[in-house]
Amino acid sequence: MSLLDVRDLTVAYGRQVAVKGVSFTVGQGEVVAVVGESGSGKTTTANAIIGLHPAASGEVLLNGVDIAGWSQRRLRSIRGHGIGLVPQDPSNSLNPVMRIGRQIGEILKIHNYGDRADIRRRVIELLTRVGLDDPERRAGQYPHELSGGMRQRVLIAIAIALRPGLIIADEPTSALDVTVQRRILDLIDDLRKEYGTAVLLVTHDLGVAAARADRLVVMKDGLIEESGGVREVLAAPASPYTRRLFQDAPALTARPYKPFDAAAEPAIVVRDLVKEFGPFRAVDGVSFEVRRGTTHALVGESGSGKTTTARVVTRFAEATSGEVVIGGDPAGPRAFRRRVQLVYQNPYGSLDPRQTVAAIVEEPLRNFRLGDRTARRARVRELLERVALPGTLLGRRPAELSGGQRQRVAIARALAVEPEVVVLDEAVSALDVTVQAQILTLLEELQRDLGLTYLFISHDLAVVRQISHTVSVMSKGRIVESGTTNQIFDSPREDYTRELLAAVAEPVR
Amino acid sequence: MRWLSWAVIALVVLWAAMPSLFTGYDPLAGVPAEKLQGPSAAHLFGTDAVGRDLFARVVHGSVHSLSGALVAVAVGLVFGTLLGLIAGSVRGVVDEIVMRVMDVLLSVPGLLLALTVIILLGPGTVHVALAVGVGSVASFARLARAEVVRVRRTDYVEAAFGSGGTFAGVLWRHVLPNSLGPVIALSALQFGVAILAISTLGFLGYGAEPPTPEWGLLIAEGRNYLATSWWLTTLPGAVVVAVVLAAGRISKEIR
């Protein structure tokens, strides 16, 4: 008998059916990864299993007992005891005004673990177990005093407090840096070996799923597209959708490195760049050059100074010292905006919600008075075609577009003034893998056709490997190592680079 | 119930626009023989001490109250939003100075502030409207500033600067339209508050001169007959209450 047996589970939000008859099992001590793109119903499935969202029909058998129809009151005896939950966002999932120790103790108290001394002892034991240093002190701290990785450890401690047979981990590491991500996943792995706990891992990250799971469940539009052992599914995906998904995932498919031509003239030269915020040095003596028509990636973890560098390069922030030269000569503020354009990470925030697509793309043309009305309108159509968007979208507003379409609009806007340099700040990080693959292909095409120079800011090494010619690895405001993508990935010289690479899935390492 | 608040406002606006459609009586000329009659089919709201039809006076009076409220809201909306926009987008010293002045305005009770302005300007319908409007500038400015500060930080505003927009251009095209939603909702609310404030000042005798049928003045005039003729205060009061509640309800909906 399986530990968890989900049979024909259907979940609806009002009239919208999000999960349409899903069946799978999780065996004792097994890691099953549910993967899929946003809106595929994977999180809803997880929530329905633990009763956070009522199932419309179907069975959820936990140790052979159907808990699908249970009342919230009855489910309380299972939550924490039979099933532990590790939520997605470590920054929002802890009560900010409650000390860490009490938050872990709460679950023990609810389930009548013992008296205060017992609980206190167990809390310290748990904090030690999830690898927090100085557990006595940590127990007395508030969530804001802990880093994201530490908070995720606390959430794991809560999930394992009563040694449940099953842990549901919903995107447990998506908000974390790659090196932290690896340590958290290692921790979950250790705990599984130690206690024999089964893990239902919900993730959009195919690299993580491939590296950590025993079995894969691929979801799409509320249905299971394919399921089976990780090796079998990866080696020979049966459904065309799964095949596409794997091909598109930069983490699973290694592409040949881009040839780098060192002869081209530099389009961006950054020398000894320093940016201070008060006493804090966000960027500390950064220098790099980007050849015309190539892509240079700045990679690093959060707080490494890569975004600040991008903002100084695009003149949205002023350098404390050092210089940035674009296209060989200094330009006035307005001329500069025609040369350098920035594409933002979040396509939901970078487009004015009240403007139509046509008005958004036309705006730079209006600002620089390029052509009259009819000429501008023709140019907008041409730009939309350039980014492969149908002309029917011209009258739509951003809210009526998908994430990928929005990012295409943002790219079209950036291209409107024919810039030499486009700075892409995590421009594909918020997108699903298939959409991400399409945008990356589009960026490559545009570079080839228009001779664009890209400065590509990313935390995702797999994507960087695919798109960039040269790479600079940043940490704590400094460039640790730089070279061609080939050099960085195949023969890293620095330990920090090696550590970053170790966190990436095997095929692309 | 949503239609009801709109219906109340629509009715009152129609009263103001075409009063003769709703009542055949003259609001100023009374028939002394019919004085102080209670509500009846002939006189819907009854008659006052000189035999004027009260319903006619309420209907004809709506134009004074509504236009006054409109002027008051316009003053608050335009100046408040402008100050908020400047403070929120320029920031720094300008922000500090403007907002501290607004804080001082907010700290003075609205009625006292309006009375002060009237004492400076002298009584009269327009002056009362201006006085009430000045009193609401601070709340508009505060809300507008908060919205502007929020919108200023968004990526799309930065992107607009990034695509070569000038400061004024970006404010006009992106910051202002995206900040205006809550401000419009506040102006609907302020419309009701202004009617109340104008009626209050009319009641105190600073607004329209008798025999102008202004709502506040109607209630004030009826005060002397409170014991004998309840309708003289109650019915115009009920009209004011209905309009103020309807405006508040609509404001909630817009927000």
Side-chain angles (χ1 to χ4, degrees):
Chain A
M1 184 180 64
S2 312
L3 176 68
L4 178 75
D5 190 350
V6 178
R7 289 183 192 164
D8 210 18
L9 182 71
T10 300
V11 189
Y13 292 100
R15 241 174 272 159
Q16 178 134 17
V17 183
V19 177
K20 308 162 184 164
V22 160
S23 309
F24 63 91
T25 60
V26 181
Q28 216 86 37
E30 196 181 30
V31 178
V32 175
V34 180
V35 298
E37 302 188 281
S38 45
S40 60
K42 53 190 194 302
T43 292
T44 307
T45 304
N47 285 347
I49 289 171
I50 201 165
L52 291 175
H53 193 87
S57 68
E59 292 171 43
V60 177
L61 303 178
L62 184 70
N63 290 318
V65 184
D66 184 14
I67 59 168
W70 281 21
S71 66
Q72 293 296 318
R73 210 188 147 83
R74 244 181 122 188
L75 279 168
R76 241 180 274 158
S77 63
I78 298 256
R79 291 180 187 153
H81 230 330
I83 305 178
L85 179 72
V86 181
Q88 177 165 7
D89 184 358
S91 53
N92 276 334
S93 301
L94 290 168
N95 184 344
V97 295
M98 208 168 164
R99 291 175 201 275
I100 298 299
R102 265 191 67 201
Q103 294 199 49
I104 302 176
E106 199 179 16
I107 187 176
L108 298 169
K109 216 163 100 186
I110 290 169
H111 293 276
N112 299 319
Y113 179 82
D115 61 20
R116 276 176 64 173
D118 287 342
I119 288 179
R120 168 132 194 97
R121 214 172 308 122
R122 177 75 178 139
V123 165
I124 300 301
E125 205 179 290
L126 283 165
L127 285 173
T128 317
R129 184 61 205 90
V130 295
L132 283 174
D133 56 318
D134 202 355
E136 301 274 350
R137 190 166 63 93
R138 296 289 174 217
Q141 284 182 317
Y142 288 99
H144 73 266
E145 296 173 85
L146 272 57
S147 70
M150 283 153 87
R151 276 182 234 161
Q152 195 59 284
R153 282 170 198 266
V154 172
L155 290 168
I156 291 173
I158 294 173
I160 61 165
L162 295 160
R163 301 200 182 176
L166 173 70
I167 292 179
I168 295 179
D170 184 5
E171 305 273 9
T173 57
S174 301
L176 304 174
D177 280 327
V178 277
T179 51
V180 184
Q181 181 176 10
R182 187 169 58 113
R183 277 179 225 130
I184 295 287
L185 291 169
D186 285 346
L187 171 66
I188 293 178
D189 243 9
D190 289 350
L191 293 168
R192 178 174 67 105
K193 280 179 201 136
E194 199 176 316
Y195 302 140
T197 315
V199 180
L200 183 69
L201 183 67
V202 177
T203 182
H204 72 282
D205 190 332
L206 292 165
V208 166
R212 305 288 174 165
D214 302 315
R215 286 195 300 121
L216 270 185
V217 175
V218 183
M219 285 190 72
K220 185 193 177 226
D221 299 334
L223 290 166
I224 290 187
E225 197 54 40
E226 179 162 5
S227 63
V230 165
R231 280 175 203 292
E232 293 80 58
V233 176
L234 279 178
S239 95
Y241 172 76
T242 319
R243 215 170 303 141
R244 253 271 301 298
L245 201 63
F246 290 167
Q247 267 167 22
D248 287 342
L252 295 182
T253 317
R255 288 171 178 76
Y257 291 114
K258 293 195 172 225
F260 175 64
D261 174 18
E265 54 179 316
I268 310 173
V269 180
V270 175
R271 271 189 226 111
D272 299 321
L273 191 70
V274 174
K275 173 68 185 172
E276 288 174 347
F277 295 105
F280 174 66
R281 269 202 171 190
V283 177
D284 189 4
V286 161
S287 307
F288 61 87
E289 286 187 3
V290 188
R291 307 276 152 192
R292 194 175 293 283
T294 69
T295 302
H296 182 75
L298 288 181
V299 297
E301 302 188 283
S302 48
S304 61
K306 56 190 195 304
T307 292
T308 310
T309 307
R311 293 183 63 78
V312 173
V313 169
T314 49
R315 291 201 194 169
F316 283 118
E318 235 172 279
T320 308
S321 68
E323 65 171 346
V324 177
V325 183
I326 305 243
D329 59 287
R334 279 189 58 86
F336 179 83
R337 293 278 168 238
R338 286 202 61 178
R339 281 194 185 169
V340 182
Q341 284 288 313
L342 177 65
V343 176
Y344 293 81
Q345 166 171 15
N346 182 358
Y348 294 84
S350 63
L351 306 177
D352 186 337
R354 302 181 75 93
Q355 280 189 315
T356 60
V357 168
I360 291 169
V361 180
E362 191 191 352
E363 177 146 343
L365 302 171
R366 275 173 64 178
N367 286 337
F368 288 105
R369 299 178 207 289
L370 300 174
D372 59 7
R373 241 196 168 153
T374 34
R376 287 202 302 255
R377 207 167 289 167
R379 174 86 175 121
V380 167
R381 284 189 168 279
E382 186 190 313
L383 283 163
L384 279 202
E385 210 166 292
R386 189 65 262 205
V387 297
L389 282 178
T392 48
L393 296 185
L394 278 170
R396 301 259 191 100
R397 281 173 215 284
E400 301 166 275
L401 305 179
S402 70
Q405 286 175 329
R406 285 179 219 208
Q407 203 59 309
R408 282 173 198 268
V409 172
I411 292 171
R413 172 176 64 186
L415 295 179
V417 293
E418 298 175 338
E420 297 163 30
V421 172
V422 179
V423 178
L424 302 146
D425 185 6
E426 300 274 10
V428 297
S429 304
L431 306 172
D432 279 327
V433 275
T434 43
V435 181
Q436 189 180 58
Q438 288 160 6
I439 298 286
L440 288 173
T441 312
L442 171 68
L443 289 173
E444 282 172 351
E445 269 172 35
L446 292 171
Q447 181 166 60
R448 205 174 49 230
D449 298 351
L450 307 173
L452 293 170
T453 307
Y454 292 144
L455 183 60
F456 192 88
I457 316 297
S458 183
H459 70 282
D460 189 334
L461 287 152
V463 170
V464 164
R465 184 191 192 280
Q466 182 182 335
I467 190 151
S468 57
H469 298 85
T470 51
V471 179
S472 291
V473 179
M474 287 190 73
S475 171
K476 292 173 189 154
R478 291 171 169 276
I479 288 186
V480 178
E481 181 170 4
S482 60
T484 65
T485 311
N486 196 341
Q487 286 165 357
I488 296 286
F489 277 78
D490 285 353
S491 45
R493 291 189 306 270
E494 300 293 325
D495 287 342
Y496 182 73
T497 313
R498 269 191 282 271
E499 196 187 338
L500 276 184
L501 285 170
V504 182
E506 231 158 298
V508 294
R509 219 178 279 163
Chain B
M1 285 309 279
R2 198 190 293 171
W3 59 269
L4 187 63
S5 42
W6 286 101
V8 167
I9 298 292
L11 181 68
V12 176
V13 168
L14 281 177
W15 283 357
M18 294 169 283
S20 48
L21 274 187
F22 295 89
T23 173
Y25 293 102
D26 187 323
L28 300 179
V31 181
E34 293 178 6
K35 67 173 184 161
L36 293 178
Q37 288 183 358
S40 65
H43 300 287
L44 222 46
F45 280 15
T47 59
D48 69 2
V50 286
R52 292 175 297 200
D53 180 66
L54 187 60
F55 183 67
R57 285 177 67 73
V58 169
V59 170
H60 282 274
S62 61
V63 66
H64 300 287
S65 294
L66 289 193
S67 58
L70 219 55
V71 170
V73 169
V75 168
L77 181 68
V78 171
F79 288 98
T81 311
L82 195 69
L83 287 171
L85 185 66
I86 292 170
S89 50
V90 178
R91 307 299 296 274
V93 187
V94 179
D95 186 18
E96 284 295 323
I97 292 172
V98 171
M99 291 325 288
R100 290 308 76 78
V101 172
M102 293 302 127
D103 284 349
V104 171
L105 284 183
L106 278 175
S107 67
V108 181
L111 189 62
L112 194 62
L113 192 65
L115 283 174
T116 316
V117 175
I118 288 170
I119 286 163
L120 289 175
L121 296 176
T125 13
V126 179
H127 290 170
V128 164
L130 287 179
V132 171
V134 168
S136 66
V137 165
S139 8
F140 275 106
R142 234 192 201 188
L143 182 67
R145 176 184 173 278
E147 282 301 300
V148 167
V149 167
R150 179 184 65 81
V151 174
R152 268 283 264 143
R153 273 202 303 258
T154 58
D155 281 350
Y156 60 81
V157 167
E158 196 182 87
F161 284 118
S163 46
T166 56
F167 188 74
V170 174
L171 280 195
W172 178 249
R173 215 177 297 155
H174 299 281
V175 178
L176 193 61
N178 282 294
S179 315
L180 233 43
V183 178
I184 298 294
L186 178 67
S187 61
L189 185 70
Q190 280 295 338
F191 184 76
V193 173
I195 285 180
L196 204 59
I198 288 170
S199 299
T200 308
L201 291 170
F203 180 87
L204 293 175
Y206 292 101
E209 298 287 326
T212 316
E214 194 270 332
W215 289 350
L217 200 57
L218 288 183
I219 300 171
E221 286 168 353
R223 186 171 47 158
N224 298 331
Y225 306 93
L226 205 55
T228 52
S229 315
W230 58 271
W231 57 90
L232 286 180
T233 45
T234 308
L235 294 179
V239 170
V240 173
V241 168
V243 173
V244 172
L245 285 180
R249 178 80 207 211
I250 287 170
S251 159
K252 222 171 166 179
E253 210 178 290
I254 297 175
R255 194 177 48 201

